[in-house]
Amino acid sequence: AQRVTQPEKLLSVFKGAPVELKCNYSYSGSPELFWYVQYSRQRLQLLLRHISRESIKGFTADLNKGETSFHLKKPFAQEEDSAMYYCALSNSGGSNYKLTFGKGTLLTVNP
Amino acid sequence: EAGVAQSPRYKIIEKRQSVAFWCNPISGHATLYWYQQILGQGPKLLIQFQNNGVVDDSQLPKDRFSAERLKGVDSTLKIQPAKLEDSAVYLCASSLGGVTGELFFGEGSRLTVL
């Protein structure tokens, strides 16, 4: 079974401070990990995926297979980063592509 | 590019009544998903279609929930009879399929069961 754990329901930081949203996973195969984000009054959307090794809006995430983690980081948080963030795990099963989501972390960046 | 369309946006019903939600995916997307998101939780997959065939419905409460995707395009999700615990946002998503990982979500249909 695949499982995603986001230990923090709420995270509050000040503008300019570093931010780290934690994500741990459980999966017996080779995982593919993603971060999805939902801004206020907007749809849930993809932020980044580990296979792309990209930085989106200043965010990065590194897959650590030893610690089974995929934490999302940004060195200097901005107010517009305030949103709900979901870590997600895929079974990478070809056409049977299925995403399992964590419960989410609500990030608030204070001015 | 038009996004995933869902209707209705909001629905309030009494327990034991029935309700149906409709989803129109992005044109050309073969895979369609219905997720249930209860307040304070992440989205939970209910059913996944590949074209008009069901790929995964292992978490769909089949005694009361049903879904179909006729002609491999639009989809409907029905609940009959509804229970209080069905109060949630029902999210429809679509993707091209394969291992790209990007699901495109609709705005969701918020159901309140009284």
Side-chain angles (χ1 to χ4, degrees):
Chain A
Q2 53 195 73
R3 188 179 299 121
V4 177
T5 303
Q6 293 180 252
E8 304 141 327
K9 291 194 75 170
L10 304 170
L11 183 61
S12 182
V13 301
F14 285 102
K15 176 182 173 181
V19 63
E20 180 179 68
L21 290 86
K22 292 184 168 52
C23 172
N24 289 90
Y25 66 89
S26 173
Y27 183 57
S28 57
S30 182
E32 290 184 34
L33 276 296
F34 309 86
W35 278 98
Y36 275 74
V37 62
Q38 187 166 26
Y39 301 103
S40 180
R41 300 191 191 88
Q42 294 189 28
R43 304 171 187 220
L44 190 59
Q45 59 187 289
L46 177 67
L47 179 63
L48 56 78
R49 67 197 88 185
H50 91 270
I51 57 173
S52 299
R53 294 185 168 275
E54 57 201 346
S55 173
I56 303 293
K57 299 183 178 181
F59 284 97
T60 59
D62 291 319
L63 178 61
N64 186 322
K65 292 188 178 181
E67 296 183 356
T68 59
S69 69
F70 188 58
H71 303 327
L72 183 68
K73 300 176 184 179
K74 185 170 183 176
F76 308 103
Q78 302 300 312
E79 290 180 68
E80 55 265 30
D81 296 328
S82 295
M84 195 74 182
Y85 291 81
Y86 294 94
C87 183
L89 166 71
S90 121
N91 61 329
S92 60
S95 61
N96 293 5
Y97 200 86
K98 178 171 117 175
L99 274 183
T100 298
F101 287 86
K103 292 188 176 183
T105 298
L106 179 62
L107 173 66
T108 302
V109 181
N110 301 297
Chain B
E1 176 184 277
V4 175
Q6 289 189 246
S7 68
R9 290 291 313 280
Y10 305 93
K11 189 74 176 179
I12 300 174
I13 61 173
E14 295 189 350
K15 59 183 178 183
R16 291 188 289 275
Q17 287 187 321
S18 63
V19 62
F21 302 112
W22 171 83
C23 172
N24 180 239
I26 292 173
S27 178
H29 281 194
T31 311
L32 185 147
Y33 310 78
W34 282 102
Y35 281 85
Q36 179 193 57
Q37 186 170 23
I38 293 173
L39 187 65
Q41 299 183 22
K44 182 184 89 170
L45 180 68
L46 291 177
I47 189 167
Q48 177 183 347
F49 292 94
Q50 180 73 15
N51 295 309
N52 61 348
V54 175
V55 171
D56 186 340
D57 63 357
S58 57
Q59 298 193 90
L60 186 74
K62 297 180 185 65
D63 57 333
R64 298 182 301 104
F65 286 64
S66 64
E68 60 182 9
R69 190 183 184 195
L70 299 176
K71 301 180 181 178
V73 181
D74 293 6
S75 178
T76 56
L77 175 70
K78 297 179 182 178
I79 308 173
Q80 181 179 12
K83 292 186 174 181
L84 297 177
E85 58 261 37
D86 298 331
S87 294
V89 176
Y90 291 87
L91 295 167
C92 179
S94 69
S95 73
L96 285 168
V99 295
T100 66
E102 184 163 12
L103 271 60
F104 293 84
F105 283 85
E107 293 179 296
S109 294
R110 182 179 297 276
L111 173 66
T112 301
V113 182
L114 304 175

